Amino acid sequence: MKVLIIGGVAGGATAAARLRRLNERAEIVLFEKGGYISFANCGLPYHIGGVIDDRNELLLQTPESFNRRFNIDVRVFSEVISIDRAARRVSVKNLTTGEVYGEGYDKLILSPGAAPIRPEIPGIDAKGVFTLRNVADMDKIIEHIRAARAKTAVIAGGGYIGVEMAENLKRAGLDVSIIQRSEHVVAPLDYDMACDVHRHLRQNGVKLYLNNEVAAISKAADGLKITLKDGDLSADLLMIAVGVRPESGLASACGLAVNERGGIIVDSRMKTSDDDIYAVGDAVAVTDTVTKQSAQIPLAGPANKQGRIAADNICGLDSEYESAQGSAILKVFELTVATTGINEAAAKRQKLNCDKIYAWSPGHAGYYPGSKPMSIKVIFEKGRGKILGAQIVGFDGVDKRCDLLAAAVRLGLTAGDLTKLELCYAPPYGSAKDPVNMVGYMIENVLGGMVKNFHWHEVDSLPRDGSVTLLDVRSPIELRAGKIDGFINIPLDDLRARISELPKAKPVYVHCHSGQRSYIAARILAQNGYEAYNLSGGFRLYKSIMTR
């Protein structure tokens, strides 16, 4: 059996290694149009910022090492320019010599990846404008910073790559601005959860231009002039990070089925519309775990799994890729941002019957030094309480909590299942009631009618005409940090003694700092005949969103 693989990195290199482990006699040829078949593309920004000092640490396998270990014919600087499906043959151009030759196959795996989008902006090809996809792009950026003695950088796009580059260009000593077309950075987050990220970026010296975009680029005496939809900037370097598109031109040119976004259509075994051709990685269309609709999720984890699954099926094993949920994590200076599953904005677009809760929990026991809270938002299905998605912004412990919630989304777990999880606990690492357990309890309280929530976006529309009671149960000292207009203050510990001050005929909307004490207040009120509502996420979340 002869298998050709077009493209390396996560999907293609994984498929090649798995093929060899399953079939020692197969002839395997891997074509890569660049010079590197397996590199840590997620680590590229960190070499630019000097966090990863040794460039060679990013090169996971060289053609020579891959050949020695796996006996795979690796051909770098080799671009497959066409596929003849009828003849089961590809045409390959040697980019070093210019030679074009043919190569036959029994099975073919496409792993072309996704390319950075370069919008049609006047001047986008000017010197000093970059995208970041591979090692060569990284080298060019580093050389430009050195040669131009760059001091200022503008990043068009506030997604994962844009934010990572902002941090690392700051580490490299540059003054950095992010231009973001929408109202917030990091698209998988909802706006309310992104506000803490905005604050942290600004605290670390990154300027944000939200609801804005690059309209034109021109050369200036001191670098680049960047004309925005609203305003102008100048910079020594402009990074374009507005997203990626599937590199599916080769697939569509030979007649393979692709969707309207250019994603190569595959079945659960990673087989394309041609029985002898498989496709993996960022170029393929996958099924979203929550919505069950077609999606593009360009992440390394799914690409690795897909490469393995394609190899399994070529070698006769029954292996399937079911869906992708987009679990991802991002370092933003000292802050950690993690997401999984669906966010509220997407849930509304899909008209899902769901609700949300906010939690404010410490990463480990509050009495152990270094504990800092994390902000958690969970989307869940009304009725059963099935977990549909989660977003966490905080410091220590964000990763493991989001990983647990990612498992919950994958396995279809409910809030009740979360309460039953027995998780590792010691003061340096967690709490006896872990934040994930607490999320389960909070959702159960909502579903069981133990608490009625209201949310930050409803606060300002609450009537101030006396028809409802607005109650703040924080301590008098906490009021110095700010308060919400129209709310009277009765500290929680005084509420039972002063409950008669609140008229029973009026609904009571109550808040505290995080939502925990106000939940207790709402339970006291409800059991004394009041109609009470608790502000989920509390004053902290409200202030975070309203402070721009």
Side-chain angles (χ1 to χ4, degrees):
M1 178 172 63
K2 183 175 182 180
V3 182
L4 304 184
I5 302 173
I6 301 174
V9 199
T14 297
R18 177 67 171 170
L19 281 167
R20 178 55 74 221
R21 290 195 296 271
L22 295 175
N23 189 332
E24 183 62 23
R25 293 179 177 82
E27 183 181 357
I28 306 169
V29 184
L30 191 155
F31 299 102
E32 172 57 53
K33 64 182 177 182
Y36 305 93
I37 59 156
S38 183
F39 61 90
N41 51 359
C42 296
L44 300 178
Y46 297 98
H47 181 57
I48 293 170
V51 178
I52 300 172
D53 183 59
D54 186 354
R55 178 180 179 277
N56 291 326
E57 292 292 332
L58 300 173
L59 308 180
L60 306 179
Q61 290 278 3
T62 66
E64 295 76 20
S65 67
F66 210 56
N67 178 265
R68 284 195 302 270
R69 177 154 300 178
F70 296 107
N71 188 28
I72 291 168
D73 181 358
V74 178
R75 304 179 192 178
V76 294
F77 300 114
S78 297
E79 181 180 7
V80 175
I81 56 177
S82 65
I83 301 169
D84 184 339
R85 291 168 52 198
R88 290 199 295 187
R89 194 168 183 83
V90 302
S91 294
V92 186
K93 183 176 182 179
N94 184 317
L95 298 179
T96 302
T97 65
E99 173 197 4
V100 175
Y101 62 94
E103 196 79 41
Y105 64 85
D106 296 308
K107 300 293 180 182
L108 177 65
I109 299 177
L110 303 178
S111 179
I117 294 171
R118 292 181 68 87
E120 293 184 5
I121 300 171
I124 196 167
D125 294 323
K127 182 180 180 182
V129 180
F130 299 92
T131 57
L132 181 62
R133 183 188 187 188
N134 52 39
V135 175
D137 293 337
M138 176 190 74
D139 290 341
K140 290 174 184 176
I141 292 169
I142 292 172
E143 173 57 23
H144 179 79
I145 292 171
R146 185 199 63 78
R149 298 181 180 179
K151 292 182 171 55
T152 55
V154 169
I155 300 168
Y160 290 107
I161 293 175
V163 172
E164 287 174 345
M165 281 299 298
E167 175 182 351
N168 283 283
L169 288 171
K170 282 293 293 184
R171 284 185 58 91
L174 280 70
D175 183 57
V176 179
S177 300
I178 293 177
I179 315 300
Q180 174 64 18
R181 188 175 187 178
S182 65
E183 64 179 356
H184 68 85
V185 300
V186 192
L189 292 177
D190 288 313
Y191 175 77
D192 44 23
M193 296 298 286
C195 288
D196 282 342
V197 182
H198 295 166
R199 182 174 303 102
H200 195 71
L201 284 166
R202 288 170 175 139
Q203 287 171 347
N204 282 276
V206 177
K207 302 178 185 68
L208 297 181
Y209 297 82
L210 304 174
N211 294 306
N212 213 331
E213 59 186 307
V214 177
I217 306 159
S218 56
K219 191 67 180 168
D222 56 349
L224 296 169
K225 178 185 176 183
I226 302 163
T227 302
L228 307 181
K229 181 183 71 175
D230 181 15
D232 294 326
L233 293 173
S234 61
D236 300 313
L237 179 153
L238 172 62
M239 176 86 188
I240 304 293
V242 296
V244 297
R245 57 169 178 78
E247 285 267 50
S248 56
L250 196 61
S252 59
C254 73
L256 295 178
V258 299
N259 65 16
E260 66 281 358
R261 297 180 61 189
I264 303 171
I265 296 174
V266 294
D267 64 13
S268 62
R269 290 169 173 78
M270 308 314 298
K271 188 184 294 183
T272 68
S273 52
D274 184 314
D275 285 344
D276 295 319
I277 303 179
Y278 293 74
V280 302
D282 296 353
V284 305
V286 297
T287 299
D288 184 278
T289 301
V290 176
T291 68
K292 309 305 179 187
Q293 296 187 357
S294 179
Q296 300 290 144
I297 300 181
L299 295 170
N304 274 283
K305 293 178 179 68
Q306 293 160 12
R308 179 185 178 94
I309 288 167
D312 283 355
N313 283 284
I314 287 172
C315 293
L317 300 180
D318 186 14
S319 186
E320 291 188 81
Y321 186 82
E322 295 178 352
S323 64
Q325 64 197 68
S327 300
I329 193 164
L330 172 67
K331 179 181 179 296
V332 188
F333 296 95
E334 294 80 25
L335 199 66
T336 301
V337 178
T339 67
T340 189
I342 199 167
N343 63 18
E344 183 183 4
K348 285 181 176 178
R349 289 194 298 271
Q350 297 294 326
K351 298 181 180 179
L352 300 183
N353 184 30
C354 62
D355 202 349
K356 63 189 174 185
I357 58 98
Y358 300 91
W360 180 241
S361 300
H364 60 260
Y367 58 82
Y368 188 87
S371 178
K372 293 181 180 180
M374 64 181 75
S375 184
I376 305 173
K377 180 177 183 178
V378 176
I379 309 299
F380 61 94
E381 184 181 79
K382 289 182 179 179
R384 286 203 316 132
K386 181 180 175 182
I387 307 303
L388 303 179
Q391 304 159 52
I392 309 182
V393 178
F395 298 90
D396 68 301
V398 167
D399 51 348
K400 70 175 181 178
R401 275 48 181 250
C402 200
D403 282 342
L404 283 165
L405 291 167
V409 172
R410 169 64 57 175
L411 299 174
L413 302 186
T414 66
D417 295 319
L418 298 186
T419 68
K420 297 170 186 173
L421 294 176
E422 185 175 332
L423 305 174
C424 299
Y425 161 63
Y429 304 106
S431 302
K433 288 191 289 189
D434 191 86
V436 172
N437 298 134
M438 293 304 297
V439 162
Y441 294 134
M442 292 172 71
I443 296 173
E444 278 193 333
N445 286 338
V446 172
L447 296 175
M450 294 287 287
V451 65
K452 298 176 182 178
N453 284 336
F454 68 109
H455 298 288
W456 64 268
H457 49 82
E458 299 170 302
V459 170
D460 291 346
S461 63
L462 290 173
R464 265 70 171 178
D465 59 1
S467 60
V468 301
T469 300
L470 307 179
L471 178 63
D472 180 343
V473 296
R474 294 177 299 157
S475 69
I477 293 176
E478 289 177 281
L479 297 181
R480 299 172 189 170
K483 56 184 180 179
I484 304 175
D485 179 56
F487 279 73
I488 63 171
N489 177 238
I490 300 178
L492 173 62
D493 293 343
D494 298 338
L495 180 59
R496 289 184 180 89
R498 297 176 58 184
I499 198 168
S500 61
E501 298 176 23
L502 307 176
K504 276 191 178 180
K506 298 178 182 179
V508 182
Y509 291 83
V510 57
H511 84 80
C512 66
H513 181 69
S514 67
Q516 183 178 7
R517 283 171 292 167
S518 52
Y519 162 66
I520 297 171
R523 290 300 304 148
I524 293 170
L525 291 164
Q527 293 177 83
N528 279 276
Y530 291 83
E531 181 184 354
Y533 298 85
N534 175 44
L535 178 58
S536 184
F539 176 76
R540 189 217 69 84
L541 179 66
Y542 175 84
K543 183 180 179 182
S544 170
I545 297 163
M546 296 304 168
T547 304
R548 290 175 170 83

